[in-house]
Amino acid sequence: MSADGIRVLPASAAERIAAGEVVERPASVVKELLENSLDAGARRILIEVEAAGSRLIRVSDDGEGIPASDLPLAFQRFATSKIRSAEDLAAIDTYGFRGEALPSIAAVARVEMVTRVRGAEAAKIAISGGAQPQLSPSGGPDGTTITVRDLFFNTPARRQFLKSPGRELAVIVETVEALALAAPGVAFRLREGGREIQWYPAEGFAQRARRVLGAEVAAGSVDLAASGQVANLTGVLGTPQAAQRRRTHQWFLVNGRPVRSPLLARALAQAYHTLIPDDRYPAAVLDVRMPAASVDANVHPRKTEVRFVRDRLVFDDVVREVRRTLHGVALVHSAPEAATDPVATLRETDAERTPGRGLFPPAHADWPAIRVIGQLDLTYIVGEAGGDLILVDQHAAHERVLYERLLAERSRHGVRAQGLVIPVVLDLAPAARALLEELAPLLPGLGYEVERFGPATVRLTAVPAVAAGRAPGELFRACLGDLAEDLGPHAGRALAERLAIATACHTAVRSGDRLDEATIAALLEALARAEDPFSCFHGRPTMVRMRRVDLERWFYRRA
Ligand code: ADP
Ligand code: MG
C-alpha cells in the first residue's frame, strides 16, 4: 500500500483504463468504427489496415457526416447523437449509444477524423492520446474518414497482450464478416497493406451469407426460412459434408445483429447431431428474429452476447427448424463399404412388425413416400418420390433402423435375445477381457449372454435376435474390436450406445448384398418410421434426393 493515500486519477489515466473495456485489440477499433459508419447510413465502407491494425486503421464511409460544430463533442465521453435520455434506451435501433467508442480510441491512439455533411464544408479534427482536440477546416468527400494510428502507443502493456499479426488480422477479418452479414445492402472493402483481402458488393442476405461462408461451403448449402414458436429464423445452412473441425464457419445474428451465443451454437450442434461426426461443427449463418423485449442484448459492452428470455423455446425452435430444412435436402454421399454377408435380419424386421406394440411409430413426417424402382450396384435402392430421384444406401439405412430398434427395445424391456443352439467359445486377449468386465453389466440389456468359461475364455450363449442371421462369434468379436478402438467420434457416447452402434453396424446388410423386393420394401418401411431416417449414426446420409427441377436442368428442359 502506498503511503500517499487515496487520490483521484488524472483524467488522462482514467480514460486509458476505461478505454481498455472498449478497445482490447485492433479488431475492436474496426468494430466500433464500422458500427458508427453503419449508424450513419453508409452505403459503401472502405477499411484499410497496416501491420494488422496496430500501425494504421482507416475507415472511410459515405454516411451522413458530422456537422463541424459537433465535431469536438464526438470525442467526449458519453457524447452521442443517438439517444437523448435514458428512456430512449428501450428502443435503440443503432449499434452505438453509449458515446464511448471515439473517446476510448482517442485515449490510446493518434486519431484524425475528416467529415463532411452533404452541402456543408468539410472539417478535420486531430486528437492524440486523449489530448486537447485540434480542429481545422479541410477538404474531403461527403461522409466520414477516420484514421487511427499507432494503437496502444501510450499503453505498452496492452500492446503485449496482442497476438501475432496473423491472428490479429484474422480477428479483423471476422469482425468485418460479422458486420457484413448484418448489413448485406452495404458494400464493404478491406485492404491490408494496400492489398485487397475482402470485397462484398451490396447484395441480399442469403447471397452475403454464402459469400461469408465461402464458395466451398456455399456449394450445396440451403436456405433456412421458418417461423418457430417464438422466433423467426432465416439463414443459410451448410450441408453435413461441409461441417468443419472448428467453429470458424458459424455466424449468429439476433434481430440482424451479430452476436455470440453458446445457446445457438448448442442448438445448431443438436440439429446436426448424427448427421455429422461428433467432432465436427456445422457451417451456418443463422439470423434469429424476435420481439426486442424477448432479448437482452445489453449484457456486455463489447462482446455482444445476448440473453433470451425464453431460451429453451428459442433452442427448440432452432433445432426443429434447422433439422426440418436439412431433411428436405439432397445430400452428397460418401464412399460405400466393402461387401460381405446375407440379409436374413431384414425379413425378420418385417415379420415382427406386430401393430399395437408401440415399437413402430408412424412414418416420419418429412420422409417421402418412395416408389421402389430397383437396386443399383448391389449398394443402393433406387426409387422415385414425386418426380424426384431417390437413392438410399442400403447399409446406412439398415444401420439406422437396427440402431434405433436396439435402443428402443433396450429402454423398454431389454433387447430381445436369441439363444444359440450351439454356444460359441471365444478366447480373449487381456485387453478384450478387461473391456468385457466393463461391459458385463450392460450385455443382457442388449441381448447378449456371455459366461466366463476359463481364465481367458468366455462362452457366448445368446445374441440380439435382430442379429440372428450373423455368425455370432464374429459379430461379438467385431463389436468388442470396435469398442476397444474407441471408435473416434463415438468415443464420447455411453458404452451401451456404442455397443448398440457396433451391433447395428455388424448386423446391417452390406454393399454387395442382393435384396429382393420384399426386403427392400421392409427396409424402407422401417426406415420411414425411424426417429431420424435421414442419416446413419456415423453421420453418413441414408438417402440422396435428386430433385426433379435439377433433373430438368440437366436435360435442358428448363432454363
Ligand atoms: P456512439 O456510437 O455510442 O454514439 P461514438 O463514440 O462511437 O458513440 O460516436 C460518437 C458520435 O459521433 C456518434 O453518436 C455520432 O453522432 C458521431 N459519429 C461517429 N462516427 C461517425 C461516422 N462515421 N459518421 C457520422 N457520425 C459519426
Ligand atoms: Mg459508436
Side-chain angles (χ1 to χ4, degrees):
M1 226 345 135
S2 135
D4 291 358
I6 297 174
R7 286 195 199 176
V8 175
L9 285 172
S12 62
E15 299 249 291
R16 256 180 255 173
I17 291 165
E21 300 201 342
V22 180
V23 187
E24 186 194 25
R25 62 197 323 174
S28 349
V29 174
V30 172
K31 171 174 177 288
E32 294 295 340
L33 299 184
L34 287 182
E35 290 183 349
N36 280 347
S37 296
L38 293 174
D39 283 346
R43 310 308 304 164
R44 301 153 70 86
I45 304 177
L46 169 66
I47 307 113
E48 293 163 284
V49 298
E50 283 171 22
S54 57
R55 184 155 60 231
L56 175 128
I57 298 168
R58 177 181 292 132
V59 172
S60 318
D61 68 50
D62 60 355
E64 65 189 8
I66 305 175
S69 52
D70 281 357
L71 206 42
L73 267 181
F75 287 90
Q76 260 174 43
R77 190 160 294 277
F78 307 124
T80 176
S81 60
K82 297 168 195 173
I83 56 171
R84 288 282 169 260
S85 68
E87 284 78 66
D88 289 353
L89 272 172
I92 296 163
D93 61 354
T94 54
Y95 288 101
F97 57 81
R98 293 187 177 88
E100 274 186 302
L102 292 185
S104 298
I105 295 167
V108 292
R110 302 182 218 278
V111 177
E112 194 183 280
M113 187 190 239
V114 178
T115 181
R116 179 195 203 115
V117 176
R118 197 171 303 279
E121 294 290 303
K124 178 164 131 182
I125 190 167
I127 178 167
S128 173
Q132 271 305 309
Q134 305 296 316
L135 209 59
S136 56
S138 169
D142 289 346
T144 303
T145 295
I146 174 158
T147 307
V148 177
R149 286 197 173 83
D150 304 325
L151 184 62
F152 301 137
F153 77 95
N154 55 354
T155 50
R158 197 154 273 282
R159 222 167 229 274
Q160 286 182 352
F161 282 109
L162 296 184
K163 304 264 162 56
S164 70
R167 179 68 202 135
E168 292 299 333
L169 184 63
V171 184
I172 291 175
V173 169
E174 275 168 34
T175 304
V176 175
E177 285 171 336
L179 285 160
L181 283 171
V186 176
F188 290 78
R189 205 179 273 280
L190 171 63
R191 288 201 195 123
E192 211 275 338
R195 185 173 55 103
E196 182 159 296
I197 53 180
Q198 270 174 312
W199 174 69
Y200 299 106
E203 57 198 337
F205 173 64
Q207 286 163 297
R208 178 63 57 91
R210 287 192 165 82
R211 210 181 289 273
V212 168
L213 285 168
E216 221 175 294
V217 171
S221 59
V222 254
D223 289 331
L224 167 71
S227 39
Q229 295 180 78
V230 293
N232 285 331
L233 306 174
T234 51
V236 172
L237 304 174
T239 60
Q241 287 70 27
Q244 305 285 317
R245 289 189 183 281
R246 309 216 277 127
R247 263 190 230 285
T248 44
H249 289 63
Q250 287 183 7
W251 301 96
F252 302 112
L253 299 100
V254 170
N255 291 335
R257 285 160 186 259
V259 295
R260 291 177 200 209
S261 169
L263 177 100
L264 293 177
R266 263 186 288 123
L268 200 58
Q270 174 76 31
Y272 279 76
H273 179 65
T274 73
L275 294 173
I276 59 177
D278 290 355
D279 60 349
R280 299 288 167 102
Y281 299 98
V285 173
L286 184 62
D287 186 10
V288 177
R289 303 227 166 217
M290 53 203 309
S294 316
V295 188
D296 179 6
N298 197 4
V299 181
H300 191 285
R302 179 169 37 79
K303 285 208 177 94
T304 54
E305 291 205 1
V306 283
R307 261 202 297 260
F308 298 104
V309 177
R310 293 191 284 176
D311 55 357
R312 184 71 224 179
L313 295 180
V314 174
F315 183 89
D316 291 346
D317 275 356
V318 171
V319 175
R320 187 178 352 91
E321 300 307 332
V322 168
R323 238 174 197 228
R324 210 199 291 268
T325 302
L326 291 173
H327 285 166
V329 201
L331 304 166
V332 184
H333 205 290
S334 48
E337 302 187 353
T340 40
D341 272 297
V343 292
T345 56
L346 260 179
R347 291 189 201 95
E348 209 180 353
T349 307
D350 188 40
E352 275 180 36
R353 197 167 42 78
T354 33
R357 260 177 65 198
L359 256 184
F360 293 87
H364 194 286
D366 301 326
W367 186 259
I370 300 171
R371 182 178 69 80
V372 175
I373 297 170
Q375 199 185 10
L376 171 67
D377 201 22
L378 299 182
T379 302
Y380 310 105
I381 297 161
V382 183
E384 185 253 295
D388 294 352
L389 176 64
I390 304 283
L391 294 173
V392 173
D393 179 312
Q394 60 193 45
H395 177 68
H398 198 197
E399 274 188 329
R400 167 54 71 179
V401 167
L402 290 172
Y403 168 67
E404 285 196 11
R405 180 171 166 170
L406 286 167
L407 289 189
E409 286 189 14
R410 176 170 174 267
S411 69
R412 268 154 232 259
H413 28 66
V415 169
R416 220 162 56 78
Q418 167 80 60
L420 301 177
V421 183
I422 308 164
V424 178
V425 175
L426 296 166
D427 287 331
L428 296 177
R433 290 208 297 278
L435 177 62
L436 198 55
E437 291 286 307
E438 204 185 327
L439 270 179
L442 301 170
L443 288 173
L446 275 156
Y448 291 96
E449 282 164 28
V450 180
E451 310 166 347
R452 192 185 287 274
F453 195 58
T457 314
V458 295
R459 196 160 66 160
L460 183 63
T461 58
V463 294
V466 291
R470 298 288 175 197
E474 275 170 40
L475 168 73
F476 190 63
R477 252 187 211 292
C479 289
L480 285 182
D482 280 7
L483 265 56
E485 262 177 32
D486 228 1
L487 280 173
H490 303 302
R493 299 191 192 187
L495 203 54
E497 199 180 333
R498 284 163 57 199
L499 181 59
I501 286 175
T503 304
C505 182
H506 296 290
T507 303
V509 298
R510 310 266 161 82
S511 163
D513 292 344
R514 188 175 303 280
L515 308 182
D516 60 28
E517 252 174 73
T519 307
I520 290 175
L523 174 56
L524 289 185
E525 198 175 323
L527 185 61
R529 290 164 201 276
E531 203 172 296
D532 180 358
F534 295 92
S535 71
C536 78
F537 41 74
H538 299 303
R540 295 201 293 120
T542 55
M543 187 250 271
V544 172
R545 183 173 191 154
M546 273 163 247
R547 293 174 181 280
R548 169 197 243 154
V549 286
D550 293 323
L551 297 175
E552 284 170 349
R553 283 202 187 99
W554 287 353
F555 291 105
Y556 298 104
R557 288 174 168 270
R558 165 193 281 262

